[in-house]
Amino acid sequence: QVQLVESGGGLVQAGGSLKLSCAPSRSTFSINAIGWYRQAPGKQRDLVATISSGGRINYADSVKGRFTISRNDAKNTVSLQMNSLKPEDTAVYYCYGRDYGMDYWGKGTLVTVSS
């Protein structure tokens, strides 16, 4: 079982930056994959970025070049640095973990980008 707690959401103007953090209840390096999904109002939950225990990173095309996922095993956190934010990035961002075939989700943190 893995619990995930997000922090760092908020309101930002278009073109601005925000950093999200996720603190799992287990060591980050022991989780098969960890990262972020987002869900905009009225839309499905979509992948933003994930990082595997081996360090392989996967980004959604819509955020490549703007968002950076990183894992700090010493601090046991996973972060998502979001730059050049756009109004279409507005969503609830969920920390995600996959381990031994099980999916785990945080409660989500709201990111609102104003135009």
Side-chain angles (χ1 to χ4, degrees):
Q1 191 101 13
V2 180
Q3 284 79 47
L4 304 165
V5 179
E6 306 97 338
S7 61
L11 174 64
V12 64
Q13 288 188 331
S17 299
L18 275 177
K19 185 175 183 178
L20 306 182
S21 291
C22 175
S25 58
R26 279 177 32 204
S27 298
T28 50
F29 67 81
S30 71
I31 300 172
N32 295 152
I34 190 167
W36 299 89
Y37 278 68
R38 67 185 180 186
Q39 188 167 19
K43 295 188 177 181
Q44 67 180 22
R45 192 173 296 187
D46 291 327
L47 168 75
V48 177
T50 58
I51 184 168
S52 72
S53 56
R56 185 173 67 249
I57 292 175
N58 185 34
Y59 290 106
D61 288 342
S62 60
V63 306
K64 284 181 180 177
R66 300 188 298 123
F67 291 11
T68 302
I69 188 172
S70 60
R71 196 181 74 205
N72 189 323
D73 294 336
K75 294 185 177 181
N76 204 44
T77 57
V78 175
S79 298
L80 184 69
Q81 178 66 46
M82 305 185 294
N83 299 328
S84 301
L85 283 160
K86 304 175 182 179
E88 51 263 44
D89 294 318
T90 295
V92 177
Y93 284 70
Y94 295 91
C95 186
Y96 163 80
R98 183 166 180 85
D99 199 43
Y100 294 104
M102 297 289 292
D103 292 333
Y104 300 94
W105 299 95
K107 292 183 178 180
T109 186
L110 178 62
V111 172
T112 303
V113 184
S114 63
S115 57

